[in-house]
Amino acid sequence: MNKAKNVWLIIAAALVIGGCTSSVQRIDASEQVDLSGQWNDTDSQLVAQKMVTDSLARPWFSKFLKENGREPVVIVGQIKNLSHEHINTNTFIADIERELINSGNVQFVASADARDEIRLERNDQAANSTLDTINEMGQEIGADFMMQGQINTIIDTENVTQVRFYQVNLELISIKDNRKVWIGEQKIKKLVKNANLRK
């Protein structure tokens, strides 16, 4: 009797464990997948692409080239997440930086954190490297413009249906005199139907 009971317990446990297993499938990193309707890697890449393309097509760019005879030097500052959800703005910043650099139309300088680390390395070189390999202090290129912005959301939910609206606003600001030379905006609207939304 106990043996039969134990067999049924083992079978039941196997069924429970089998029902809880997960499945993993490798897909191409460029493939667009939207599971939850929340901000994802596709949104980040597409918005960064559109914003940078728009910014470089505006009058400030050709005006700067004409007045200075060189490409503008740009840095990306803080992108604030003011949305309802957790958004890793570091990946969005990285997407913007990549688009700016790869455009070939601007020069790009490292972030404040990266500059601090590089300065420490230069200090170390000054104390420890041979004279012919030292990179001297005071040779940095200053940025002409800083790009800053924010991500906002509006969520509208009824029963199992939800509309998720994202608005990304970016500004390009002259570091010399705080002038805003470009303001960009991108909007994303998603209709999500999910039984788990029911309260």
Side-chain angles (χ1 to χ4, degrees):
M1 186 74 174
N2 283 339
K3 282 187 177 182
K5 187 177 180 182
N6 287 340
V7 169
W8 283 112
L9 285 174
I10 291 170
I11 292 171
L15 289 172
V16 169
I17 292 170
C20 295
T21 59
S22 59
S23 172
V24 177
Q25 178 185 355
R26 292 190 183 275
I27 59 175
D28 192 290
S30 62
E31 187 174 337
Q32 295 185 19
V33 178
D34 209 331
L35 298 177
S36 65
Q38 294 185 341
W39 178 273
N40 61 25
D41 62 315
T42 300
D43 299 320
S44 179
Q45 292 165 17
L46 291 177
V47 170
Q49 208 171 57
K50 289 178 181 178
M51 295 287 249
V52 169
T53 300
D54 180 70
S55 70
L56 296 177
R58 298 298 178 173
W60 74 271
F61 180 71
S62 56
K63 186 178 179 182
F64 185 91
L65 287 176
K66 185 177 179 181
E67 291 176 354
N68 297 275
R70 62 171 176 83
E71 301 95 345
V73 181
V74 179
I75 187 171
V76 177
Q78 188 177 18
I79 308 290
K80 295 179 182 176
N81 175 22
L82 303 179
S83 73
H84 292 76
E85 65 190 66
H86 171 72
I87 294 176
N88 185 347
T89 56
N90 288 332
T91 59
F92 183 45
I93 290 171
D95 285 334
I96 294 171
E97 290 177 341
R98 186 186 64 251
E99 292 298 326
L100 282 168
I101 293 169
N102 291 345
S103 73
N105 293 316
V106 300
Q107 297 182 55
F108 201 85
V109 293
S111 67
D113 289 341
R115 289 198 306 271
D116 286 341
E117 187 175 359
I118 293 166
R119 287 168 185 158
L120 286 173
E121 170 60 21
R122 276 199 296 265
N123 281 330
D124 184 73
Q125 285 186 8
N128 300 299
S129 298
T130 59
L131 290 176
D132 59 329
T133 62
I134 290 174
N135 288 287
E136 296 178 3
M137 303 291 281
Q139 303 298 312
E140 296 180 21
I141 297 174
D144 299 302
F145 300 96
M146 177 178 283
M147 189 174 283
Q148 298 176 324
Q150 59 188 33
I151 303 171
N152 290 282
T153 54
I154 298 173
I155 309 296
D156 187 16
T157 304
E158 183 177 2
N159 297 324
V160 299
T161 304
Q162 186 178 83
V163 175
R164 305 183 70 86
F165 175 77
Y166 297 86
Q167 181 168 312
V168 182
N169 294 95
L170 296 180
E171 301 174 340
L172 196 64
I173 301 169
S174 168
I175 294 176
K176 179 180 179 180
D177 53 19
N178 293 332
R179 285 180 303 115
K180 294 182 181 181
V181 299
W182 170 80
I183 296 176
E185 179 180 271
Q186 282 294 317
K187 298 176 180 178
I188 300 171
K189 187 178 282 190
K190 300 181 181 184
L191 180 64
V192 181
K193 293 187 178 181
N194 187 340
N196 293 328
L197 292 175
R198 182 175 285 145
K199 296 181 179 179

